[in-house]
Amino acid sequence: MSAAVNGLPWTVLRLHRAALLGWGAFVAAVTGLLLWTVEVKADAARAELAYCSHHGTCTITATLDYDDTIGLAAVFLCYSFLAVAAWAGAALVARELETGTTQLVWTQSVTPVRWLVAKLALPALLITVGGAVLVPVFRHAWWINPDRTDSGWASANVFVARGPTMVAYGLCALAVGALAGLVLRRSLPALGVSFAVMLVLHQLVQSCRTDLWPSVTRTGTALFTPPDTAWQLANGVIVHGQRVANPEYGHCNGTGTKATQCLADHGITGYYSVYHPASHFWPLQLVETGIVLTVTAAATVATFRLLRRRTA
């Protein structure tokens, strides 16, 4: 292999060092924020809640501060892929095609395919390593939150930040950005398209998230309340065999003749509750990760095929 090929990763590193250093700074900053929150703010929040429990009334400033910090970190981690999409669409491929520097590179014993492999491999590695650091740190900070709600894992931002889905979205943004850059060959249009495509993909998958794994449905003549750790999806009453959400007949709950008569008077044959238990977190995570990685693979294959066709 030629020296030019051997030096491709270093060329990519030098050319995009500002963006790659920015990613490293982001990982370090969020990690530092979470670790500082755990070491400094958690004890204050825990002491505050203990005081409240003992005295019955108090302010919860430290607790809310902890919650806000964790929520902010979740937003950063969940939507970090949008920054990757914008950078990949504008700078990774499109800028060099727009300026014509790729033609010079391809005459220096570097094939277009090897050039694209180097372009994608180093950022993909850094995205994966960054996610491998951020996700465990966030999971730790979220888990020890003194005011943590056990069903909080269902939050859209927290769900992504607590698992491999975060890394999958980053890799997908990289592949979609590269494809947009190769198709459009202009930085600004590629930036806008890759950003918009990833945002739509994220919103689409998020809207279908509860259907990615079969939920649990409980029915009975008594009102059932799912565990605190569950992700509640729906609940209501069953009227003549039909499910009716947001029931107005909760006062019929209970046992005995009076409750049975109340149910019968309103045509209610029982209650229902639909939810995801906490054990469904990882199945939902892995299915969503698989979907996003499938899109990533499809975008990557399309990028290489288009490159071969255009440089044949």
Side-chain angles (χ1 to χ4, degrees), residues 135-181:
V135 171
V137 173
F138 179 83
R139 287 178 60 85
H140 175 63
W142 180 84
W143 183 257
I144 68 168
N145 183 358
D147 195 39
R148 175 175 57 84
T149 301
D150 288 336
S151 60
W153 64 270
S155 166
N157 298 333
V158 171
F159 182 88
V160 173
R162 288 187 64 224
T165 304
M166 180 223 164
V167 178
Y169 276 111
L171 295 176
C172 188
L174 178 67
V176 168
L179 178 59

